[in-house]
Amino acid sequence: MTKKFYFTVALSLFLSIYVNAKKVAFLVGIGNYPASSGWQRISSTNDIDLLKTLLIAKGFKVNVLVNAQATKAGIETGLKKLINSTSTGDEIIIHFSCHGQQMQDDNKDETDDGLDEAIIPYDAQRIYEKGIYEGENHFRDDLL
C-alpha cells in the first residue's frame, strides 16, 4: 500500500467526521435581575438577540436561556443537555452575558489567589449574609 492510499483514507475519515459534525450554541443572557437581588440591570439580552441571529445564519442550532429562565438550576440543566446532545468533533459555542463576581474559594483549589470566579444566575443574591445567603446560587468556575 502506498502513502497516497493512506493519505486518501485519512482524508476520507477526517471529512466524514467534519461533514457529520453538529453546530450547537448555548447562550445565556441575564439583564433584568430581580430588584430584591441587589444586581443592577444590564443590556445582556441585546447580546443574545444579536448572537442568536448570527449563529442561526451560520447553521447553528441555538439554545437560549434569558432572565428568569437562567437560574443556577436552569443553567446546569442546559449544560447537561448540551453535553448529552453533542460528541467529539461537534462545533460548540457557549456564551454568557450577565454579571460576574469573584468569591472566596470553597474547596481550596484556587492556590494563586484563593478566589473562585462566578457567573451570576438570575436567582443569585449580591449581598452575602451568614445563614441567609452564602453564594449557593452563584455558578462557580468549578462547575464549568
Side-chain angles (χ1 to χ4, degrees), residues 6 18 22 24 29 36 50 53-54 84 89 130 140:
Y6 287 116
Y18 183 73
K22 290 185 272 183
V24 182
S36 62
L50 292 168
T53 300
L54 173 70
N84 292 331
K130 189 100 175 128
R140 292 176 185 261

Side-chain angles (χ1 to χ4, degrees), residues 87-141:
S87 57
T88 302
D90 289 345
E91 292 183 56
I92 300 168
I93 294 176
I94 300 172
H95 175 85
F96 292 92
S97 286
C98 56
H99 283 291
Q101 183 179 50
Q102 290 184 309
M103 57 193 302
Q104 282 302 126
D105 177 29
D106 65 347
N107 64 2
K108 311 256 187 281
D109 69 334
E110 301 286 347
T111 56
D112 289 340
D113 63 2
L115 298 172
D116 278 329
E117 285 68 35
I119 293 165
I120 307 303
Y122 183 81
D123 55 345
Q125 298 295 308
R126 187 167 184 265
I127 304 297
Y128 296 91
E129 293 183 48
K130 189 100 175 128
I132 296 175
Y133 182 77
E134 298 180 33
E136 58 270 15
N137 290 338
H138 280 54
F139 198 90
R140 292 176 185 261
D141 56 6

Side-chain angles (χ1 to χ4, degrees), residues 57-104:
K58 296 291 183 183
F60 280 81
K61 178 180 182 240
V62 180
N63 299 303
V64 174
L65 294 179
V66 292
N67 295 320
Q69 300 168 326
T71 62
K72 182 180 180 187
I75 294 168
E76 286 183 33
T77 299
L79 287 170
K80 285 177 185 172
K81 286 180 182 177
L82 177 71
I83 290 166
N84 292 331
S85 68
T86 56
S87 57
T88 302
D90 289 345
E91 292 183 56
I92 300 168
I93 294 176
I94 300 172
H95 175 85
F96 292 92
S97 286
C98 56
H99 283 291
Q101 183 179 50
Q102 290 184 309
M103 57 193 302
Q104 282 302 126

Side-chain angles (χ1 to χ4, degrees), residues 31-62:
N32 296 321
Y33 288 88
S36 62
S37 72
W39 294 104
Q40 293 180 348
R41 288 182 162 209
I42 52 178
S43 60
S44 298
T45 52
N46 294 341
D47 299 343
I48 301 305
D49 292 339
L50 292 168
L51 280 171
K52 182 179 177 183
T53 300
L54 173 70
L55 292 169
I56 289 171
K58 296 291 183 183
F60 280 81
K61 178 180 182 240
V62 180

